[in-house]
Amino acid sequence: MTALHPLSRAVTLACLALSTGAMAQNLKEPMQEVVVTATRNSKSVDKIPGAVSVISQKELEAQYLLADDPSAALATYIPGYAPSRQKMSSTGESLRGRNTLILLDGVPQTNPLRGGMREGYVADTAIIERVEVINGASAMQGMGATGGIVNYITKSPKAEGTTQSVNVRMSSQLRHDSLDWKTGYTLQHKSGDFDLLAFGSIQQRGLGYDGQGRPLGIESVQGDTMDSQGTDLFFKIGKNFGDQRLQLTINRFRMEGDGDYKQVPAVFATGTPTSSTSGTPEGAPPRNKVKTSSLEYRHNDLLGGSFNAQIFKQDFASLYGATDTSTFQDPAIVAPPLKLFDQSEVVADKYGAKLTFVRPDTLVKGLEFTAGLDFLRDRTKQWLADTSRTWVPTLDFTSLAPFTQLEYEYGPLTVRGGIRHEDAKLNVDTYTTLAAYGSRLVQGGERSFTKNVKNIGAVWRFNKNWSAFVSSAEGFGLPDVGLVLRAVNKPGQSVDTLFDMEPVVTRNNEIGVNWRGAKGSLGASFYDSRSKLGTALRVDASGIGRIDRVPTTVRGWEVSGELRATKELSAFGSYARTLGKTAATAGAPMDVELGARAQGPDKLVAGANWQFMPKANLRLQATTLFDRDINIGRTVKTTNLEEHFNGYTLVDLAGSYDSPWGKVGVGIENLCDRQYIGYYPQSASYKDTSSYFAGRGRTLSVSLTRSF
């Protein structure tokens, strides 16, 4: 187990002691119910059979005082979520050892056909009102949620009248070029049945430094949030017509590197991590461009039930940095030998529709009937932008999925079960692979995927404050088709016959218990997640990833809670234990532990909130990641499976004050200025001099939000 810094140990023990003391108090009144919409239907948490989390706006604001990083917020509040990379790339940021389906107001942001792992930055954090998380496999929102669903819900006007607000945020490590700044403007208007919200922001990020004052390494190929700029334009307009509502939402987000720094390789002999120095790297800087739009119609009194229809469109493009990897070399292109630089770009355009009808008390009192239909059209490709070469051909995916669900509530017992029929087709034109794969001609074709995915579960509210649940749910997904197709290196191959493109079906069985009272909440669950034909992403000696189709099993348990000792003082904490296994090859024993590309380490989070003045709050939290040494001496072909991770504890401090001039926030990330190498760089980038990244040292952030 990781040895804790003395201050870190004191913080953790104080928070746990506070929790123990609060539990001993008289707990009589239930806390206010939280309603979750990520299940396609508004539902109280204690009526959902599964581990459900809701990150409130207040919690998000506290975390964003420390770091303007959506992944860091998820890692803090969701026990099974892997640590943030602190980069533009979200590779390794999994949920319970599996893939996460990311939504923005129900619109899919994840690109499962060619997972470029850039979906962590699709909107400005300032427009997010709350985050709803469904832990474990689910098919309720479509394919890709083999590990769970993260649904970012954007803000809407709440109060009558017109309100304008300006927010400014700055952070610095008090070193050269370490200043980050962001400013945004929000207009909210609500007049009777009409409401409107408009938002715009500009952000500039500087360079980061580790605990020893060294510049952090720039992730020059996969993309970095450091030395970058970003903009966001958001617009939401809605009108109620009695029991009906029509709403239009548009979000345009862009993040792009400035290209002012070059990477300095790590030196393992001296323990020096990857760093940066001033200079201009090859090619154009990495960038993300995302545009999401949706039109939603709701009718709350239709045929005795409620009806919801949403049509959406998302345009996504992520450019990666230039590299002269051997995969990009081509003798037919004039360039110095082995020095052909190129950069890839993933382009994914989606549109679709979601229809849902919910009718309570169908046939008998307490029986709720839900039916719906989802349609999705996804066209994804990956090309080499500098030489206009095809790396992944256009993947034309169409899915039509009807579903139905029944829920019966009898006193303290709620039982629900449903089925979703996935009927999907993937069309791929004939294409030729890159020269590195032998310039193989691959015959195009069509693949069909049909599968019924099911869920069943029950919740028993056996006490005024206590409930227990049991559930079994399936998730449907596809392997990273782009990785499979671009790596074809044998002659005579056809899209119709490639076995590696078979779908991934994951079943998550879970049991848990929850307590919710006036003094806080507490939840614990154990899960077992299995896929007979899973996927393992393995990176070979040349740095190129490939997909191996092998079974995977992830077991784990989680506990989390918040306990309020007094009106002014509260404590929160969580612990997650994740144990993932797979096989070296199909048919081999399940004796390979899942690495950092798939799962996070065991994690403990503990903290306390103190309202020391009527308008002032202080938050102290500590996060501990535990040591992990796995697959010693194991390899698969040229892929090294061995990983080593020396855990660490980080302490953060944040505070806010509602002053006459606006809400002032101050945050200190990594309060102890701990020197550490991140979980993913230590593990997945073991012995890789270009990716051995240290984490941020002590960072001061100051923010001001003024409304008028």
Side-chain angles (χ1 to χ4, degrees), residues 226-228 256-262 279-281 283-286:
M226 295 189 302
D227 186 37
S228 69
E256 182 173 5
D258 287 335
D260 295 327
Y261 292 91
K262 296 191 302 184
T280 304

Side-chain angles (χ1 to χ4, degrees), residues 1 154 194 196 242 353 377 399 463 555 630 649:
M1 184 177 289
T154 60
F194 174 80
L196 176 148
R377 177 76 179 275
S399 170
N463 182 279
R555 296 187 181 95
I630 62 171
T649 296

Side-chain angles (χ1 to χ4, degrees), residues 27 29 45 100 369 378 397 466 468 511 601-602 605 608 613 632:
L27 307 173
E29 299 179 6
V45 169
T100 308
F369 169 75
D378 185 332
F397 179 83
W466 289 88
I511 185 170
D602 296 344
V605 177
M613 293 173 56
I632 308 302

Side-chain angles (χ1 to χ4, degrees), residues 594-668:
L594 290 181
R597 298 182 187 280
Q599 75 160 72
D602 296 344
K603 180 178 65 175
L604 170 68
V605 177
N609 294 301
W610 179 29
Q611 186 178 350
F612 60 94
M613 293 173 56
K615 295 183 178 182
N617 293 277
L618 194 65
R619 176 189 183 92
L620 183 65
Q621 67 184 36
T623 300
T624 298
L625 305 181
F626 294 97
D627 297 350
R628 193 165 189 254
D629 300 286
I630 62 171
N631 303 326
I632 308 302
R634 300 290 300 272
T635 60
V636 175
K637 298 180 180 178
T638 63
T639 300
N640 175 41
L641 301 180
E642 181 175 339
E643 293 186 4
H644 297 278
F645 172 63
N646 294 322
Y648 50 82
T649 296
L650 301 178
V651 179
D652 305 314
L653 178 67
S656 62
Y657 174 64
D658 288 322
S659 74
W661 307 278
K663 188 170 185 177
V664 180
V666 178
I668 305 177

Side-chain angles (χ1 to χ4, degrees), residues 221-452:
V221 176
Q222 298 300 319
D224 210 307
T225 57
M226 295 189 302
D227 186 37
S228 69
Q229 55 184 299
T231 60
D232 195 7
L233 293 174
F234 176 78
F235 180 78
K236 178 187 286 188
I237 184 171
K239 183 168 177 59
N240 298 322
F241 305 89
D243 292 322
Q244 303 175 67
R245 178 173 175 82
L246 190 65
Q247 179 176 285
L248 173 67
T249 305
I250 299 174
N251 187 60
R252 179 188 177 278
F253 177 82
R254 183 183 180 108
M255 175 182 283
E256 182 173 5
D258 287 335
D260 295 327
Y261 292 91
K262 296 191 302 184
Q263 192 178 90
V264 178
V267 181
F268 290 109
T270 60
T272 305
T274 308
S275 187
S276 300
T277 187
S278 297
T280 304
E282 294 281 345
R287 65 171 180 262
N288 259 20
K289 294 194 298 183
V290 190
K291 183 178 180 181
T292 304
S293 55
S294 68
L295 180 64
E296 188 172 0
Y297 168 74
R298 293 201 299 266
H299 196 312
N300 294 324
D301 189 13
L302 180 65
L303 302 177
S306 61
F307 174 73
N308 186 85
Q310 182 187 44
I311 58 175
F312 62 84
K313 189 175 190 303
Q314 192 230 28
D315 298 324
F316 179 94
S318 59
L319 180 70
Y320 297 83
T323 175
D324 60 352
T325 174
S326 60
T327 305
F328 292 171
Q329 305 307 307
D330 189 337
I333 299 177
V334 178
L338 303 179
K339 288 297 181 182
L340 174 61
F341 280 84
D342 215 329
Q343 49 194 137
S344 73
E345 184 175 31
V346 174
V347 179
D349 297 330
K350 308 180 189 67
Y351 64 85
K354 295 182 176 184
L355 307 177
T356 308
F357 177 73
V358 182
R359 192 182 193 281
D361 299 329
T362 302
L363 300 180
V364 297
K365 183 176 177 57
L367 181 63
E368 182 181 87
F369 169 75
T370 301
L373 179 68
D374 290 350
F375 169 76
L376 175 66
R377 177 76 179 275
D378 185 332
R379 290 175 59 86
T380 299
K381 69 175 183 179
Q382 185 174 19
W383 68 312
L384 300 184
D386 293 347
T387 56
S388 300
R389 289 179 287 168
T390 296
W391 198 7
V392 176
T394 298
L395 310 172
D396 193 344
F397 179 83
T398 304
S399 170
L400 189 66
F403 65 89
T404 185
Q405 183 145 311
L406 291 175
E407 177 181 301
Y408 183 62
E409 184 174 334
Y410 183 76
L413 182 65
T414 300
V415 180
R416 68 189 305 181
I419 186 170
R420 178 185 177 98
H421 178 73
E422 291 282 354
D423 187 359
K425 291 182 174 60
L426 176 66
N427 283 282
V428 183
D429 291 336
T430 300
Y431 69 101
T432 301
T433 62
L434 296 179
Y437 301 109
S439 299
R440 304 300 185 184
L441 181 68
V442 181
Q443 188 65 38
E446 179 180 282
R447 296 293 295 268
S448 297
F449 311 94
T450 302
K451 179 66 179 178
N452 291 325

